[in-house]
Amino acid sequence: MNEDEIQLRRRENEEQATASRARILGLPYLDTRKFEDTIPLVPNLLDKTQMHKDYVIPLQKGNSEDPYQFMVTSQTPRSCLDKLREEYNTNGSHAEFYLISGSAYKKFILRYDPPREVKYEDIRIAKEGDSETIAEVSKILNSVGTDKVFDFLLDQADKLQASDIHIENLRDTIRIRMRVDGILHPVANIDRDRYRIFMGELSSRANISTASKEPQSGHMQKDVYINGASHLLNIRVETVPTMYGQDAVLRLFNFDESLLNLDLLGLTDDERAEINEVVSHPRGLVLMVGPTGSGKSTTLYSIINALNTTDRKIITLEDPIEYGIPGISQIPINTTEGQSFGEGLRSVLRLDPDVVMVGEIRDADTARTAIQASITGHLVLSSFHANSTSAAFSRMIDLIGVNPIFSSSIRLVMAQRLVRKLADNKEEYTPDEATKNYIREVLQGVPAEKLPEGFNPDDFKLYRPVISDKYPFGYSGRTVIMEQLLVSEDIQAYIRGDVKEINTEAIENTAKKNGLITLEQKGIIAALRGNTTLEEVSRVI
């Protein structure tokens, strides 16, 4: 069978499937193969944009005696048919619809609108109270063809360097918001017809059920092309049923292995040296703490990437796997289906790994197994939910009790936040006296060599953002604020139970005496250096 015969057979199968679909939809089926290349076109009845957007083709212009006729496909929204009926059921005429195949539609649309690249304007993030931009972006998203709108939204979010897309059902519209540099911004309010398109794409790509009454998790990937270059976008999908439909949050991970690099995290030389010292040892437990969205995963992956050499066996347990790294054995742990990190960790220890990363310590069993692994010749890295390094110790003690083995296994706890970084066109100003007093009080006891060079507590400046076309919010990207607590003998005393008063404040005061610089202190130092603003530090830390 030659290529022409194959194409004819495919078209025949498609037409048969369309005829069956027409019976289900209650529409008359139309086989256009005999006339699709020769029938005269009907000019000035439908806009080309609508033909592309709604997959509809005019067949006959009606009058008082003859009906208006339109060819539609299975992708044509029901609202389009309703709108055309309402518009053309006048003056004694009415609208009729015929279902045609996708191939037939392509033939007609190429005659009405010869091949050209459809370009849409880029999405812009609206400033606070800027309803005009939201209306403008809403119009763009509502105009993009149904087969392109989902990918267009993903491409635009990636171009804006958004970390999340929020698709939220309101009573009359769908609200789209994006998180850029840690801040959630309204982007658009789009037609409810688009909701069906988005959920249909999530259903097929991320294995999400559109009919589920329970929260769901999924994962998908997309190749993004910008300026001739491409990269892989990993997308974690979470949905939850609400009053008006399923809301979805898409977490975007721009997978570029070269970005998983400790040198790119903005750490100081001292912070980097402490990490290098701890992870260079063959055993021990390293914890990364902080809230969701604080960059814990990126830092852990960067450490793993630095350790990824041919002489080390590295295994990770993740829920879900956010980045795929060559040379590392990555194991998904589906906790929603009853799997646990503790069971997974016990299994992988039989594989004789040198380094193990546990996605998160959530229970006493996982904590004890991780501790046991860290004292038997394994370097164990994990994340843990706590507000600060000191709080991590008191919370871990609450979880597993006073534990001498824990005291000898834990080597380093890191807490971090991500704050927005000021753009280069920042503005210097002198803070008021109350602000100065607050900064002096917080920085009390911090060694002079840790403060900005030339810092004078009686006369210092802060910085604020300057809004411009290039930087509409005055910020550009985010930077890490990290608190590192190296476990000393004094800290071990709390874990062993040698000290009766075990609470976050007592542990932090002891750590400060041993050189700990807290998140708040690190944030203020970053503000004094002009990396960020005091307001941003207050918001995040």
Side-chain angles (χ1 to χ4, degrees):
M1 188 179 293
N2 60 35
E3 184 63 29
D4 289 340
E5 290 173 329
I6 292 173
Q7 293 300 331
L8 289 171
R9 177 72 62 85
R10 285 177 179 166
R11 180 68 186 268
E12 176 63 30
N13 291 339
E14 185 181 2
E15 293 300 330
Q16 289 178 10
T18 304
S20 299
R21 183 70 175 163
R23 287 192 292 272
I24 295 171
L25 295 175
L27 291 173
Y29 160 68
L30 181 62
D31 186 346
T32 65
R33 281 177 286 184
K34 292 181 179 179
F35 59 84
E36 60 195 16
D37 294 320
T38 57
I39 189 173
L41 300 182
V42 182
N44 306 320
L45 185 59
L46 291 182
D47 183 82
K48 289 178 185 176
T49 302
Q50 184 179 2
M51 291 189 226
H52 279 286
K53 176 185 170 187
D54 293 332
Y55 292 87
V56 58
I57 300 289
L59 180 62
Q60 175 179 289
K61 191 170 185 176
N63 50 46
S64 58
E65 297 179 359
D66 298 314
Y68 287 86
Q69 294 179 337
F70 300 94
M71 296 179 286
V72 297
T73 76
S74 58
Q75 290 181 278
T76 305
R78 175 65 62 179
S79 60
C80 171
L81 275 62
D82 294 340
K83 184 178 178 182
L84 291 173
R85 282 194 188 99
E86 184 179 345
E87 185 173 350
Y88 293 107
N89 284 8
T90 55
N91 300 324
S93 186
H94 65 280
E96 293 179 350
F97 302 97
Y98 297 89
L99 192 73
I100 61 173
S101 66
S103 294
Y105 167 79
K106 288 175 184 175
K107 288 272 189 179
F108 278 104
I109 199 66
L110 285 173
R111 292 184 62 197
Y112 274 98
D113 192 17
R116 62 187 176 87
E117 186 179 0
V118 181
K119 284 191 174 278
Y120 302 98
E121 289 185 39
D122 286 340
I123 285 175
R124 292 183 295 121
I125 298 291
K127 300 170 188 172
E128 189 173 351
D130 182 4
S131 58
E132 286 185 12
T133 297
I134 292 176
E136 190 178 309
V137 175
S138 302
K139 186 177 179 181
I140 292 170
L141 281 174
N142 282 322
S143 70
V144 178
T146 53
D147 61 332
K148 301 181 182 74
V149 64
F150 187 73
D151 284 323
F152 176 76
L153 184 65
L154 293 176
D155 290 343
Q156 290 295 307
D158 182 72
K159 190 177 285 190
L160 290 166
Q161 297 184 319
S163 60
D164 309 88
I165 303 173
H166 294 245
I167 302 171
E168 301 162 322
N169 288 269
L170 306 182
R171 186 173 65 182
D172 300 316
T173 62
I174 303 296
R175 180 171 68 175
I176 305 291
R177 294 194 288 175
M178 292 184 188
R179 192 178 296 280
V180 179
D181 291 338
I183 303 294
L184 199 57
H185 297 279
V187 170
N189 295 308
I190 61 176
D191 296 343
R192 291 198 64 84
D193 287 342
R194 307 267 109 167
Y195 170 73
R196 177 184 60 82
I197 299 164
F198 289 143
M199 292 310 296
E201 292 291 340
L202 290 177
S203 173
S204 60
R205 297 196 202 183
N207 198 26
I208 296 293
S209 169
T210 57
S212 176
K213 301 299 182 184
E214 301 291 331
Q216 300 173 89
S217 297
H219 176 264
M220 55 184 283
Q221 292 182 326
K222 183 183 185 303
D223 285 311
V224 176
Y225 298 88
I226 297 178
N227 299 325
S230 69
H231 61 265
L232 183 65
L233 197 63
N234 271 300
I235 304 161
R236 189 165 146 188
V237 180
E238 303 288 342
T239 66
V240 62
T242 67
M243 181 183 295
Y244 299 113
Q246 288 191 64
D247 283 7
V249 176
L250 283 62
R251 298 195 66 193
L252 312 181
F253 300 94
N254 181 348
F255 180 69
D256 185 342
E257 193 182 336
S258 65
L259 297 178
L260 300 177
N261 189 324
L262 287 170
D263 293 330
L264 300 178
L265 296 182
L267 305 178
T268 65
D269 292 340
D270 290 343
E271 290 167 343
R272 178 67 191 273
E274 286 186 353
I275 292 175
N276 288 346
E277 165 64 21
V278 170
V279 301
S280 64
H281 288 271
R283 68 175 186 84
L285 178 62
V286 176
L287 290 180
M288 169 64 68
V289 303
T292 301
S294 60
K296 300 190 301 294
S297 295
T298 301
T299 300
L300 284 174
Y301 273 113
S302 298
I303 294 173
I304 286 288
N305 215 22
L307 292 169
N308 188 15
T309 57
T310 55
D311 60 339
R312 285 192 181 97
K313 172 78 171 180
I314 301 177
I315 299 179
T316 69
L317 303 167
E318 306 174 57
D319 179 22
I321 296 172
E322 294 176 359
Y323 300 98
I325 304 177
I328 291 175
S329 300
Q330 296 175 265
I331 301 172
I333 300 294
N334 193 338
T335 55
T336 59
E337 294 186 1
Q339 292 181 298
S340 76
F341 283 112
E343 291 173 0
L345 182 55
R346 278 189 288 274
S347 299
V348 303
L349 291 178
R350 302 188 192 107
L351 303 178
D352 190 30
D354 298 293
V355 181
V356 180
M357 186 183 88
V358 181
E360 186 181 342
I361 292 178
R362 300 176 182 172
D363 53 59
D365 178 50
T366 305
R368 292 192 181 98
T369 308
I371 291 166
Q372 192 67 38
S374 67
I375 63 170
T376 55
H378 307 89
L379 177 63
V380 180
L381 310 173
S382 185
S383 67
F384 188 59
H385 274 285
N387 286 329
S388 66
T389 55
S390 303
F393 282 102
S394 57
R395 186 163 175 259
M396 186 65 82
I397 291 168
D398 288 341
L399 191 64
I400 63 172
V402 172
N403 192 316
I405 299 177
F406 179 43
S407 70
S408 60
S409 67
I410 184 71
R411 305 198 63 230
L412 173 68
V413 182
M414 297 176 285
Q416 77 173 46
R417 301 290 190 276
L418 292 173
V419 295
R420 287 185 294 174
K421 192 164 54 174
L422 276 169
D424 293 335
N425 60 337
K426 58 196 171 191
E427 180 180 79
E428 188 181 67
Y429 72 97
T430 301
D432 57 39
E433 200 57 35
T435 302
K436 284 184 176 181
N437 287 334
Y438 160 69
I439 290 175
R440 292 185 195 111
E441 183 181 345
V442 171
L443 295 182
Q444 198 168 5
V446 176
E449 63 270 17
K450 302 290 185 181
L451 297 171
E453 189 176 348
F455 173 72
N456 180 354
D458 297 319
D459 182 23
F460 56 86
K461 306 288 186 182
L462 289 173
Y463 299 82
R464 56 186 161 218
V466 175
I467 293 172
S468 64
D469 290 339
K470 186 176 181 181
Y471 303 110
F473 300 97
Y475 295 93
S476 176
R478 288 191 287 178
T479 188
V480 170
I481 302 295
M482 183 178 286
E483 172 184 303
Q484 293 178 324
L485 197 161
L486 273 170
V487 180
S488 63
E489 181 65 31
D490 293 338
I491 299 299
Q492 287 180 344
Y494 285 95
I495 307 169
R496 289 194 303 264
D498 298 345
V499 180
K500 291 183 179 179
E501 185 184 6
I502 302 176
N503 58 59
T504 299
E505 187 177 354
I507 295 172
E508 184 173 287
N509 288 334
T510 300
K512 279 183 176 180
K513 292 174 185 176
N514 291 333
L516 172 73
I517 301 178
T518 66
L519 278 170
E520 186 178 19
Q521 291 170 335
K522 287 278 186 77
I524 287 175
I525 290 169
L528 290 169
R529 287 189 172 126
N531 295 335
T532 189
T533 62
L534 191 62
E535 291 75 20
E536 185 69 3
V537 172
S538 299
R539 181 185 70 84
V540 174
I541 300 175

